Amino acid sequence: KDLAKLRDGLIRNIENMSNAVEIFNHASRSNVTSGIDGCRVVTEFVESDSMDKDLLIVPLANFLNRVWYDRSSGKQDRSDADFCWDVQAIPAHEYEERWPKGSGTSVSTLQLRSDRRLDEVIVGEFLYKKPTDIEIVQMSDGKVFLAEKYEPVKDELEAQGITETGRRIRKGHIVYSRMFDGSDWLEEEVDTIFEWLPIVPIYGNFRIDEDNRPVYYGVVEKLMDPQRSVNYYGSRDLEEVALSPRAKYWLTQKQAVGHQDTLASMNTNQDPYQLYNHVAEHPYPQQQGGAQVNQGLQVGQANASNALKEASGLPPANMGANPMMQSGAAIELQQSKGDTGTI
């Protein structure tokens, strides 16, 4: 319990220093739209003049198009992945400062934005695990130490009556990093402090299909087709109304003589009556024409709107908008069903 409390406090401290709430909230919004986002754990110096480093969580912009994992991994958090790539565009002047002998050739990728500026270079980072043997030491009080951390405190523990009871070698990993561009490696490999890949994906709906490929999607994907239908019917309806001639009064020229001004301003004047000249054997002026409602478009748009609600898993009852349910408890029950379907 003490160790759990200690780790909980450390993790909360890392999240506070990293403003992780904003990172996770942004990842949640990305899950709604594209079904994927992610972040990275890095080590940075506590202060500019300090030699101590802290762990921090940082966001990875455009995660969907910049991070790739090996296809052998199947877990949702990719903790079983052996390697991954992180490809990003950096300013050309930064590239020249970090790798003055580099070719300046960008990594060829169609996933990054097509409007990339000429003063940027696309580079990549290859993160991969290397197996290693880790020696652990069992103590008489039940605690387990890494051998390298046990030796400095060996005498102190023996003075407390805590002695070594056994040792063994366990298999572990060390993550290495190496930068590259579109031509060659930019630097030698560098080991990190991590046992797992420090880039963590955050998926919405996730599964591995029969071809061992990850499949993920957000809420928006299922809404795209019904939304297109709503847009189509709405556009057609708007088009027909906009192009329809306005309703007008039809009358003969003799019926309008002397009343042209008031007839021309019928839509704007406040006169309680409108005069016209009666002409024998001709009917009185009548209004004809005007926009006609297309019943087929109206029905189609209503059906598409219902399909949109059904695809989202949030019909009116789930939104608390069913007038037949007067009970607050009944409305909350319907809303909870919608939450279950869309969580």
Side-chain angles (χ1 to χ4, degrees), residues 254-290:
K254 291 182 179 180
Q255 290 174 321
V257 172
H259 305 290
Q260 290 90 339
D261 292 341
T262 55
L263 286 169
S265 61
M266 287 183 64
N267 290 339
T268 58
N269 67 49
Q270 301 294 323
D271 297 340
Y273 57 85
Q274 174 62 50
L275 298 176
Y276 75 99
N277 301 318
H278 177 68
V279 179
E281 299 180 358
H282 285 277
Y284 61 88
Q286 297 184 17
Q287 190 181 54
Q288 297 182 14

Side-chain angles (χ1 to χ4, degrees), residues 119-183:
D119 59 347
E120 291 181 336
V121 181
I122 299 178
V123 299
E125 181 181 10
F126 183 40
L127 291 160
Y128 52 98
K129 294 178 180 177
K130 279 188 176 183
T132 183
D133 292 334
I134 301 176
E135 186 178 16
I136 57 177
V137 182
Q138 176 76 47
M139 310 306 297
S140 58
D141 62 350
K143 293 182 179 180
V144 177
F145 285 86
L146 296 177
E148 60 182 19
K149 294 185 177 181
Y150 166 67
E151 298 300 335
V153 296
K154 178 179 179 180
D155 295 337
E156 180 180 345
L157 292 174
E158 289 180 350
Q160 299 175 15
I162 303 174
T163 58
E164 176 183 338
T165 60
R167 293 185 178 221
R168 74 175 181 89
I169 301 295
R170 72 170 176 86
K171 298 295 182 180
H173 295 92
I174 296 178
V175 174
Y176 283 76
S177 168
R178 196 171 188 185
M179 302 297 298
F180 62 94
D181 62 9
S183 176

Side-chain angles (χ1 to χ4, degrees), residues 41-254:
V41 182
V42 300
T43 56
E44 291 188 1
F45 289 105
V46 180
E47 296 176 354
S48 58
D49 296 332
S50 174
M51 299 299 291
D52 297 326
K53 286 188 174 183
D54 271 339
L55 291 173
L56 294 177
I57 302 170
V58 297
L60 292 181
N62 194 23
F63 190 92
L64 173 64
N65 295 322
R66 66 180 284 179
V67 176
W68 290 269
Y69 291 89
D70 70 290
R71 292 185 57 179
S72 63
S73 62
K75 292 186 177 180
Q76 184 164 345
D77 62 358
R78 300 291 188 166
S79 59
D80 59 338
D82 291 325
F83 54 85
C84 71
W85 294 273
D86 177 16
V87 180
Q88 60 178 312
I90 65 173
H93 67 84
E94 180 181 340
Y95 176 93
E96 293 173 356
E97 291 177 1
R98 295 178 62 180
W99 306 290
K101 296 182 179 180
S103 65
T105 305
S106 291
V107 176
S108 176
T109 173
L110 298 178
Q111 275 72 20
L112 291 180
R113 62 181 189 272
S114 59
D115 61 339
R116 185 177 61 84
R117 298 180 302 177
L118 296 177
D119 59 347
E120 291 181 336
V121 181
I122 299 178
V123 299
E125 181 181 10
F126 183 40
L127 291 160
Y128 52 98
K129 294 178 180 177
K130 279 188 176 183
T132 183
D133 292 334
I134 301 176
E135 186 178 16
I136 57 177
V137 182
Q138 176 76 47
M139 310 306 297
S140 58
D141 62 350
K143 293 182 179 180
V144 177
F145 285 86
L146 296 177
E148 60 182 19
K149 294 185 177 181
Y150 166 67
E151 298 300 335
V153 296
K154 178 179 179 180
D155 295 337
E156 180 180 345
L157 292 174
E158 289 180 350
Q160 299 175 15
I162 303 174
T163 58
E164 176 183 338
T165 60
R167 293 185 178 221
R168 74 175 181 89
I169 301 295
R170 72 170 176 86
K171 298 295 182 180
H173 295 92
I174 296 178
V175 174
Y176 283 76
S177 168
R178 196 171 188 185
M179 302 297 298
F180 62 94
D181 62 9
S183 176
D184 201 351
W185 297 109
L186 293 172
E187 56 190 37
E188 296 298 323
E189 64 178 12
V190 179
D191 61 338
T192 70
I193 66 167
F194 300 107
E195 291 188 47
W196 294 279
L197 300 177
I199 297 181
V200 184
I202 303 173
Y203 292 103
N205 299 283
F206 175 87
R207 67 182 176 88
I208 299 294
D209 68 4
E210 59 277 3
D211 294 325
N212 200 36
R213 295 178 303 181
V215 177
Y216 51 86
Y217 56 89
V219 178
V220 173
E221 184 171 344
K222 291 185 176 181
L223 307 183
M224 292 173 67
D225 284 340
Q227 182 64 63
R228 289 188 180 104
S229 299
V230 171
N231 295 345
Y232 175 78
Y233 286 119
S235 298
R236 281 289 308 275
D237 193 26
L238 177 62
E239 179 186 22
E240 291 195 4
V241 172
L243 297 180
S244 297
R246 288 192 176 188
K248 297 180 180 181
Y249 280 93
W250 292 71
L251 67 164
T252 65
Q253 290 183 347
K254 291 182 179 180

Side-chain angles (χ1 to χ4, degrees), residues 30-44:
S30 296
N31 280 174
V32 171
T33 55
S34 61
I36 186 177
D37 206 318
C39 57
R40 179 168 183 169
V41 182
V42 300
T43 56
E44 291 188 1

Side-chain angles (χ1 to χ4, degrees), residues 317-320 325 329-339:
N318 295 125
M319 303 300 290
M325 295 181 178
I331 293 176
E332 290 181 358
L333 180 61
Q334 292 295 319
Q335 290 175 332
S336 66
K337 289 183 179 179
D339 292 340

